[in-house]
Amino acid sequence: MADRLNGTRILILETREEAQFSKLLAEQGADVVQCPMFTIHDAPDPAPVEAWIRRAIEKPFDDLVMMTGEGLRRIMKLAVARGLDQALVMALAKSRKFTRGPKPGKALREVGLEAQQTTEKPTTEGVIEMLGKLDLKGRRLGLQLYPDKDHGALTGALAAQGADVDSVLPYVYDSKAADANIVTAIDDMAKGRIDSIALTNLGQVRRLIEAAKAHGSEAKLRAGLERTLIASVGPAVSGELAAHGLRTDVSPADEAYFMRPLISAMATALAGRKPRTTTS
């Protein structure tokens, strides 16, 4: 039902797919407050990424593990620039493909490929559990990583299973320029100007905490979150919130960790809340 979020102000922390999220929220009548968190850039040195692409083409991986959709898109962008995209897709088609949640699967479908298996939970732990059931001894495994995460547990687990891991980090985050946006968003929550904050990846939680600490606003952030409905897309985000002593108020039902189910859960929760009294 349209207009379920009429009269509500929803804060979203823009990262990769939040343009679509913003559109979906607006379609439900929400006043969307957008806060850019960081900019994503290609890896500053493309040489290791190109070398990984060429290794994948020359000797296709037995297995491919994609951690993010952004990662594959950045890899394909460089492959296109080097005239290697068709050869890369053909090579990746020969690999067993595993994804951390649905977003990398979507990116694979964009280039005509399908994942053989997706984690039940879109977390690193979920990837370790999924791959732990397989015999990886002696298998060449291509692993796409993402920034701001210690991947030692994952690479260690794969190595312990006997896999020959070939990893690539195709992009980086640039966060400094967005600090002013985050401080403004924290002020808005503290003053009761936001009904709900919607979180769609764990990097947003970390970034919010880091920026608040850097600007002496951590107490104000926690006070603001106390009066703001905290919506989490799934267990990875909720786990990161819990790690910082923060709660999750709503999450999609039936383990449907996608934007539309998240919006439905928010609409239900907000329908029972009193409207904001602070509007300035």
Side-chain angles (χ1 to χ4, degrees):
M1 180 172 61
D3 302 329
R4 292 180 299 172
L5 293 173
N6 270 351
T8 63
R9 296 190 82 204
I10 310 298
L11 173 65
I12 66 171
L13 310 177
E14 295 185 33
T15 52
R16 295 185 290 274
E17 297 185 358
E18 272 56 38
Q20 175 65 13
F21 191 30
S22 177
K23 179 182 177 182
L24 293 172
L25 286 166
E27 287 174 353
Q28 297 298 323
D31 175 11
V32 182
V33 180
Q34 299 175 334
C35 175
M37 296 291 281
F38 45 70
T39 303
I40 299 175
H41 297 295
D42 295 330
D45 180 6
V49 184
E50 181 177 346
W52 186 91
I53 291 170
R54 292 187 181 278
R55 290 194 298 274
I57 293 171
E58 290 166 9
K59 187 178 181 181
F61 298 120
D62 298 309
D63 301 303
L64 176 70
V65 178
M66 302 303 300
M67 299 295 281
T68 65
E70 184 70 31
L72 180 59
R73 294 185 184 103
R74 295 282 167 166
I75 290 167
M76 291 306 305
K77 177 184 175 183
L78 183 59
V80 169
R82 299 294 190 266
L84 299 171
D85 50 311
Q86 292 186 10
L88 179 60
V89 171
M90 290 177 62
L92 297 184
K94 299 176 182 178
S95 307
R96 289 191 306 183
K97 289 169 283 295
F98 303 90
T99 63
R100 184 188 68 125
K103 292 180 180 179
K106 178 182 177 183
L108 282 169
R109 290 191 294 275
E110 290 170 2
V111 295
L113 300 174
E114 287 285 343
Q116 273 67 57
Q117 193 171 348
T118 298
T119 56
E120 292 184 9
K121 296 181 179 180
T123 63
T124 297
E125 292 72 19
V127 173
I128 293 172
E129 181 180 352
M130 174 178 64
L131 298 177
K133 300 173 183 177
L134 305 175
D135 181 5
L136 299 178
K137 187 174 182 179
R139 294 180 69 85
R140 292 181 64 250
L141 186 147
L143 173 62
Q144 174 261 310
L145 303 176
Y146 58 94
D148 293 353
K149 170 74 175 180
D150 181 359
H151 296 282
L154 174 58
T155 56
L158 294 174
Q161 288 178 248
D164 178 11
V165 180
D166 189 343
S167 61
V168 63
L169 182 61
Y171 63 100
V172 297
Y173 294 145
D174 177 13
S175 59
K176 298 301 182 184
D179 277 13
N181 299 319
I182 299 170
V183 171
T184 297
I186 291 171
D187 286 342
D188 283 345
M189 284 192 289
K191 293 175 181 176
R193 295 172 177 167
I194 302 296
D195 292 296
S196 177
I197 179 171
L199 300 163
T200 57
N201 70 71
L202 59 84
Q204 294 170 337
V205 181
R206 292 176 183 165
R207 182 75 181 92
L208 196 59
I209 296 290
E210 289 168 2
K213 287 181 177 179
H215 293 271
S217 299
E218 188 175 11
K220 184 181 287 186
L221 171 62
R222 292 183 180 276
L225 290 172
E226 279 297 319
R227 63 191 304 180
T228 304
L229 184 85
I230 304 175
S232 161
V233 76
V237 175
S238 296
E240 189 67 22
L241 284 165
H244 294 284
L246 299 171
R247 71 192 189 282
T248 295
D249 292 317
V250 296
S251 195
D254 303 320
E255 298 187 350
Y257 307 130
F258 304 97
M259 292 179 184
R260 289 183 187 275
L262 177 61
I263 292 171
S264 293
M266 291 167 63
T268 299
L270 288 168
R273 282 200 161 200
K274 294 180 180 179
R276 282 175 294 105
T277 56
T278 303
T279 58
S280 61

